[in-house]
Amino acid sequence: MYKWLNKFFKKNQKVNLQNLEYLIFGRFTDNDYDSYKIYKLTHTELFVDNREIWHSKRQTKEGYTFEGELMLERKFKIAKNLINQVPDDILDKNLNGFYTTGNKNEDQLVVVLFDGNFKKEITINDYVVKTENLPNGLKNFRLLIERKLKELN
């Protein structure tokens, strides 16, 4: 019975979006010519992981672990508000995690939310955005991140 209760409470616990410690974001496409970066944003700093390993590490036993370098203050200023613009829908919608693949042609928005206690890893595939009835908040969040990624590059 205790195992069941523990599973029940863990399943119902959610990341506190008003108190995020960090937000990890990036975009992976399986286009052979596109390089990609994964970013980690805190309330005071922005880091970048240039290793381009998310796509292969996400399906290993160890999984993907962010390892980044501190970016310049001007780059932080571009992204700093993202951490406060995560829509509530992101917790309510049943989105894929890191350990799933999309269709044959991947175009994934990669997001990790961490509030100091709970972490949520998700991907939002471009195909899903175009074909499913996603809430406007999620669609707009993906578009916002895509704009920020262009500005950061």
Side-chain angles (χ1 to χ4, degrees):
M1 180 166 164
Y2 292 114
K3 286 184 182 180
W4 180 83
L5 283 173
N6 192 30
K7 280 185 181 180
F8 174 77
F9 285 112
K10 278 190 174 181
K11 194 172 197 172
N12 290 323
Q13 294 172 330
K14 293 183 178 181
V15 174
N16 179 351
L17 295 179
Q18 276 58 54
N19 195 27
L20 287 180
E21 198 169 294
Y22 65 76
L23 165 69
I24 293 177
F25 62 97
R27 185 173 175 197
F28 166 72
T29 64
D30 62 0
N31 182 338
D32 292 336
Y33 303 107
D34 287 346
S35 63
Y36 68 95
K37 299 172 183 173
I38 304 290
Y39 296 91
K40 180 177 182 179
L41 176 65
T42 69
H43 289 279
T44 58
E45 298 173 313
L46 178 67
F47 301 86
V48 63
D49 186 341
N50 292 304
R51 298 174 299 157
E52 296 187 12
I53 62 167
W54 175 84
H55 68 284
S56 59
K57 287 291 190 178
R58 67 182 163 156
Q59 298 189 28
T60 64
K61 187 177 179 180
E62 306 83 41
Y64 170 77
T65 301
F66 183 92
E67 292 179 18
E69 301 168 11
L70 181 63
M71 298 199 71
L72 297 173
E73 177 71 18
R74 66 181 172 84
K75 296 285 187 175
F76 167 72
K77 287 180 180 179
I78 291 170
K80 71 179 183 178
N81 291 327
L82 278 177
I83 200 165
N84 299 317
Q85 294 178 315
V86 180
D88 292 333
D89 305 358
I90 208 161
L91 299 177
D92 300 330
K93 191 73 178 163
N94 189 18
L95 300 166
N96 287 335
F98 277 11
Y99 305 102
T100 57
T101 57
N103 58 9
K104 189 174 181 181
N105 301 313
E106 287 190 281
D107 182 352
Q108 303 277 14
L109 175 67
V110 176
V111 177
V112 178
L113 307 167
F114 181 68
D115 67 4
N117 294 310
F118 302 106
K119 181 162 73 168
K120 181 170 178 107
E121 300 171 334
I122 64 164
T123 57
I124 304 173
N125 192 306
D126 187 53
Y127 177 79
V128 170
V129 171
K130 290 178 182 172
T131 60
E132 290 190 17
N133 190 19
L134 285 180
N136 283 336
L138 277 176
K139 288 180 185 177
N140 292 336
F141 186 61
R142 179 179 166 120
L143 293 172
L144 176 63
I145 288 181
E146 288 173 0
R147 283 194 306 272
K148 296 299 181 181
L149 290 170
K150 285 180 185 174
E151 290 179 54
L152 289 169
N153 287 331

